[in-house]
Amino acid sequence: MEDVQKSQSSIAMPIDRVGVKGLRLPIIVRDRESGIQHTVAQVSLSVDLPAEFKGTHMSRFVEALEHWSGDLDYHSFRTLLDDVVDRLQARSAHVRFVFPYFLRRKSPMSGASGLMDYTCRVDGLLKDGKLIFTLGADVPVMTVCPCSKAISDEGAHSQRAEVRIRTRFNGFLWLEDLIEIGERAGSCPVYSLLKREDEKYVTETAFANPTFVEDVVREAAKGLDEHPQVHWYKVEVESFESIHNHSAFAVIEKNNS
């Protein structure tokens, strides 16, 4: 049958990325406590398209996933990207996995146990045979405003914030490391299950450690600077302000290589 995608484009212009997104796929990720964890990822795959081609072969992205092991680590990720490049006859390929990662957390005073989910992601860009591999985690925390606390006779405004960490690194890096760095950066971590004694502890801990969004992003960046394997990072903190009709945010990006 006629291969329309390989026909000449009426507008001879290269496309940086063309592909598919919104695919769901069961995957296996490394878990520091239990060894492995089964989860489900939202997947996007894309390649570059030369100016002379009208379109790409979308079905081949799905075929590449069908032949992939589903075991998410650096080497299998490289295998998937190599396969996408070969199937699509492309110069570059990009794959993104976004998935919930679960950790069992004990409440700080009662010891009550509950699962916390963290949105994590892996990005891979393979271009001219070189792979850029990025690992990230979005970590919720609680923050208390230092200014509000300083000027108020009673209380201060507090809110949830999100610490979004993206890293490139040498060797192997646990998602737990990124999550712990993010949780340490806020006024206090958040929990899925709290009894009354836990709520008291969380409230008092947070109010004893008020933080601006600037404080949080600097603390997270400091933790990433001190991690021996991380050589590049970008950390963004967004504070979902409780007394404003907007969010506050701060970003630090740094290359330590």
Side-chain angles (χ1 to χ4, degrees):
M1 289 187 288
E2 182 182 359
D3 190 347
V4 178
Q5 283 93 336
K6 279 198 170 183
S7 63
Q8 188 73 35
S9 172
S10 60
I11 301 175
M13 184 181 295
I15 297 175
D16 295 328
R17 288 184 184 177
V18 56
V20 297
K21 62 168 55 178
L23 293 163
R24 285 194 179 96
L25 187 74
I27 61 170
I28 301 170
V29 295
R30 297 291 178 267
D31 183 314
R32 191 166 65 188
E33 183 174 337
S34 59
I36 62 171
Q37 183 175 138
H38 294 265
T39 185
V40 176
Q42 288 269 3
V43 185
S44 64
L45 304 95
S46 60
V47 294
D48 68 301
L49 187 69
E52 62 269 22
F53 293 141
K54 186 175 183 65
T56 194
H57 295 81
M58 299 293 183
S59 64
R60 295 181 185 177
F61 292 111
V62 182
E63 288 175 338
L65 283 177
E66 286 294 322
H67 286 83
W68 182 59
S69 68
D71 194 349
L72 188 58
D73 60 28
Y74 180 90
H75 297 292
S76 70
F77 207 62
R78 173 65 189 252
T79 299
L80 175 60
L81 283 159
D82 283 333
D83 191 23
V84 170
V85 166
D86 289 342
R87 288 177 185 272
L88 278 298
Q89 300 176 10
R91 179 186 170 199
S92 66
H94 174 261
V95 179
R96 170 175 292 166
F97 288 80
V98 181
F99 53 92
Y101 187 73
F102 294 89
L103 293 177
R104 186 163 293 281
R105 294 300 204 203
K106 286 188 176 180
S107 302
M109 299 303 293
S110 70
S113 178
L115 281 174
M116 280 286 296
D117 65 288
Y118 304 86
T119 299
C120 297
R121 68 182 61 214
V122 174
D123 280 270
L125 174 62
L126 182 64
K127 187 173 183 179
D128 296 330
K130 181 181 179 182
L131 174 59
I132 300 174
F133 184 87
T134 305
L135 181 69
D138 299 342
V139 184
V141 295
M142 179 182 176
T143 60
V144 173
C145 176
C147 180
S148 177
K149 182 180 177 183
I151 64 177
S152 300
D153 292 332
E154 294 186 17
H157 77 83
S158 59
Q159 54 274 318
R160 188 182 301 184
E162 190 169 68
V163 185
R164 301 171 189 141
I165 298 172
R166 308 289 180 262
T167 59
R168 296 174 192 148
F169 52 92
N170 301 311
F172 183 85
L173 179 63
W174 291 106
L175 283 168
E176 287 87 343
D177 288 0
L178 304 185
I179 291 167
E180 288 165 5
I181 287 170
E183 287 183 333
R184 288 197 300 266
S187 296
C188 187
V190 300
Y191 300 85
S192 62
L193 175 59
L194 293 173
K195 308 297 281 184
R196 279 179 294 179
E197 58 266 39
D198 300 311
E199 289 192 27
K200 180 178 185 296
Y201 174 88
V202 167
T203 302
E204 291 176 348
T205 298
F207 274 74
N209 182 36
T211 51
F212 289 124
V213 69
E214 297 94 334
D215 299 318
V216 180
V217 78
R218 285 172 172 145
E219 184 65 32
K222 178 175 179 288
L224 293 165
D225 275 334
E226 293 171 351
H227 197 290
Q229 290 161 271
V230 174
H231 62 77
W232 173 91
Y233 64 80
K234 180 178 180 181
V235 56
E236 176 180 357
V237 178
E238 181 176 1
S239 176
F240 306 104
E241 298 289 284
S242 59
I243 65 169
H244 302 292
N245 191 30
H246 59 259
S247 292
F249 79 98
V251 180
I252 295 176
E253 182 174 350
K254 189 174 181 183
N255 190 345
N256 291 326
S257 60

